[in-house]
Amino acid sequence: MFLHLDMDYFFAQIEEKRHPEAEGLVVVICVFSGRTKDSGAVSTVNYEGREYGIKSGMPIINAKRLAPVGKSLFLPIDKEYYGAISAQINFLIRQECKKVVQSSIDEWNAEDDLAPKKAEVLKNKIKKELDLNCTIGVAPSVLGAKMAAALAKPDGLKTIDASEERKMIDESIVEKVPGIGPKTNQALQSLGVKQVKDLAKIDPIKLIEIFGRKSGTHLHNLGIGEYERELGPEKEQEEVSRIGTLSHETRDPQLILSKIDELEKEAKDWLMEMKKSYKSLSIIFITQDLKTHTKSMSFHNPKMWSQDITNEEKELVAAFLKENPANLRRVGIRFGGFLDRGGQTTLF
Ligand code: TTP
Ligand code: MG
Ligand code: MG
């Protein structure tokens, strides 16, 4: 069985936790372009905001027109912080399931014989450790799991068997199938294909003529109920990070460094496993106001997991403490700029 996990209104949910005053408000995450005060696009919006028609990709100005006055919070995107939370979720999923592929900042696919049970455990763990809601779909195929999750959103868990999966996919309109974009949808509409099951009525030769061998075959297989039963390849990971909460808010270098040491060991297990050496090291500092700061250094000669970096860590922590007077709530470590141990770069 496969499971598909997608975080609910991910960036906006994280910001809700950071801003307790956001409770009940419309929360809009904005990518400000800086040209004028309000130019830019909406990254995402919480479910309250969706009720007013605010959507990802919409100009911020339009979202401001739709949002209820005095009941909305427009916040700038903080990708660094969301990436750190995503890395923590990634860690939890990999602790639980054997085969995992991350497909976006807030989405994972996993294969596991015990997927229904694992899904439940994971959902609870993410709630307990990060106080975040997600939705998980479980099905006999990767596509089925993803579509089950879409139907169960938000805060849902939906497990379906093979016949329920077939019915769900057959009856879905083609536009709702992940991978079928507006162009393919339009071409299918002109063939009279509305639901996925209508694809079975079209001669596969014709589908291949129109969409090419690969997509044409894929569409035909969808129509006859043959779905992918393998996780796709994982895209090359470009960094590994671990982040953790300090036992109390502090700026004591000793306490901070001992937490970093713990996180370093976890991240290095991964480096060792994946046979990577690295060229950059960052320490992430999350202050008591939940702002994220990073101090980084890079190395001309790549370092192996076995090399001691205590001095580098000390240096980065000291540099941060010198310029920022705030107490720290959480710290993290990140390794990047990977090279395979043979010396060849993996980052083309
Ligand atoms: P999604 O999972 O597509 O959306 P979501 O998590 O906000 O909401 P849902 O509950 O429906 O899953 O995307 C994950 C994050 O990616 C999202 O929180 C913000 C970002 N994103 C953008 O920046 N721009 C976009 O157009 C989309 C779709 C997402
Ligand atoms: Mg999501
Ligand atoms: Mg997503």
Side-chain angles (χ1 to χ4, degrees):
M1 293 284 267
F2 293 90
L3 72 78
H4 177 88
L5 185 154
D6 187 292
M7 299 304 295
D8 299 331
Y9 63 106
F10 189 43
F11 297 179
Q13 193 186 176
I14 294 173
E15 293 293 357
E16 280 182 358
K17 302 292 160 187
R18 253 177 166 180
H19 299 267
E21 75 276 14
E23 164 123 47
L25 302 184
V26 167
V27 176
V28 185
I29 307 305
C30 303
V31 184
F32 292 106
S33 69
R35 224 164 17 88
T36 66
K37 186 174 141 290
D38 281 342
S39 59
V42 170
S43 164
T44 194
V45 56
N46 62 359
Y47 282 78
E48 282 84 345
R50 291 178 197 194
E51 287 185 14
Y52 291 90
I54 303 171
K55 289 190 174 86
S56 290
M58 169 183 282
I60 296 165
I61 303 179
N62 296 9
K64 287 203 168 165
R65 282 194 203 113
L66 292 168
V69 178
K71 288 189 184 150
S72 309
L73 202 53
F74 283 76
L75 299 168
I77 192 166
D78 182 356
K79 263 266 177 87
E80 176 90 31
Y81 186 64
Y82 315 146
I85 307 269
S86 171
Q88 277 178 285
I89 299 165
N90 190 40
F91 185 80
L92 292 177
I93 296 176
R94 281 165 208 272
Q95 266 185 329
E96 217 52 56
C97 307
K98 272 224 178 66
K99 284 164 88 183
V100 180
V101 169
Q102 179 166 14
S103 52
S104 84
I105 193 167
D106 88 330
E107 266 172 66
W108 290 263
N109 288 303
E111 186 178 5
D112 202 300
D113 293 338
L114 303 172
K117 182 71 205 156
K118 298 273 169 92
E120 205 182 325
V121 172
L122 256 174
K123 200 165 148 53
N124 290 334
K125 253 194 173 170
I126 292 172
K127 183 74 193 170
K128 187 162 162 271
E129 297 193 18
L130 298 164
D131 193 25
L132 291 173
N133 289 338
C134 65
T135 297
I136 305 181
V138 180
S141 78
V142 184
L143 178 70
K146 187 166 167 101
M147 289 177 67
L151 291 175
K153 262 186 175 297
D155 197 17
L157 182 100
K158 191 178 171 76
T159 299
I160 54 177
D161 64 21
S163 71
E164 292 166 320
E165 177 185 74
R166 178 76 195 262
K167 189 163 185 289
M168 172 187 74
I169 297 176
D170 265 354
E171 288 176 4
S172 166
I173 55 168
V174 284
E175 200 185 347
K176 293 267 181 204
V177 176
I180 297 188
K183 245 180 90 184
T184 305
N185 180 45
Q186 212 175 18
L188 290 173
Q189 295 307 314
S190 62
L191 290 173
V193 173
K194 290 193 169 57
Q195 291 171 300
V196 171
K197 65 180 172 202
D198 300 333
L199 283 165
K201 297 179 210 146
I202 312 283
D203 185 348
I205 308 276
K206 193 168 175 193
L207 287 174
I208 289 171
E209 262 170 28
I210 301 173
F211 300 102
R213 178 158 300 275
K214 196 160 170 254
S215 305
T217 310
H218 173 69
L219 289 169
H220 173 69
N221 287 342
L222 268 182
I224 61 169
E226 293 207 353
Y227 317 127
E228 197 66 66
R229 275 168 218 291
E230 257 175 66
L231 290 180
E234 180 140 54
K235 55 178 184 346
E236 189 80 58
Q237 201 168 333
E238 293 179 7
E239 50 184 51
V240 58
S241 55
R242 289 289 297 131
I243 197 154
T245 305
L246 293 156
S247 57
H248 59 271
E249 291 183 358
T250 181
R251 44 189 288 111
D252 175 352
Q254 227 46 50
L255 283 178
I256 295 168
L257 284 163
S258 88
K259 187 73 195 178
I260 289 172
D261 187 54
E262 212 179 280
L263 300 167
E264 181 201 316
K265 287 208 176 72
E266 290 174 4
K268 280 191 165 172
D269 284 345
W270 186 91
L271 290 176
M272 189 173 68
E273 184 103 359
M274 304 303 287
K275 301 187 170 56
K276 302 282 188 198
S277 55
Y278 60 92
K279 289 186 91 165
S280 77
L281 165 70
S282 305
I283 304 290
I284 302 157
F285 304 90
I286 296 164
T287 40
Q288 64 210 107
D289 54 2
L290 295 182
K291 288 215 163 68
T292 316
H293 312 263
T294 315
K295 287 275 172 210
S296 308
M297 59 170 72
S298 48
F299 310 108
H300 186 66
N301 296 317
K303 283 194 185 293
M304 303 258 290
W305 60 271
S306 51
Q307 278 171 279
D308 181 71
I309 49 168
T310 317
N311 286 334
E312 285 83 355
E313 288 169 355
K314 268 190 192 150
E315 202 181 302
L316 293 172
V317 169
F320 173 79
L321 291 174
K322 203 172 142 197
E323 68 188 42
N324 193 310
N327 276 329
L328 293 177
R329 182 188 284 205
R330 314 169 84 190
V331 287
I333 189 165
R334 181 167 61 221
F335 296 98
F338 295 144
L339 301 164
D340 285 330
R341 219 185 275 164
Q344 258 200 312
T345 180
T346 58
L347 299 176
F348 288 106

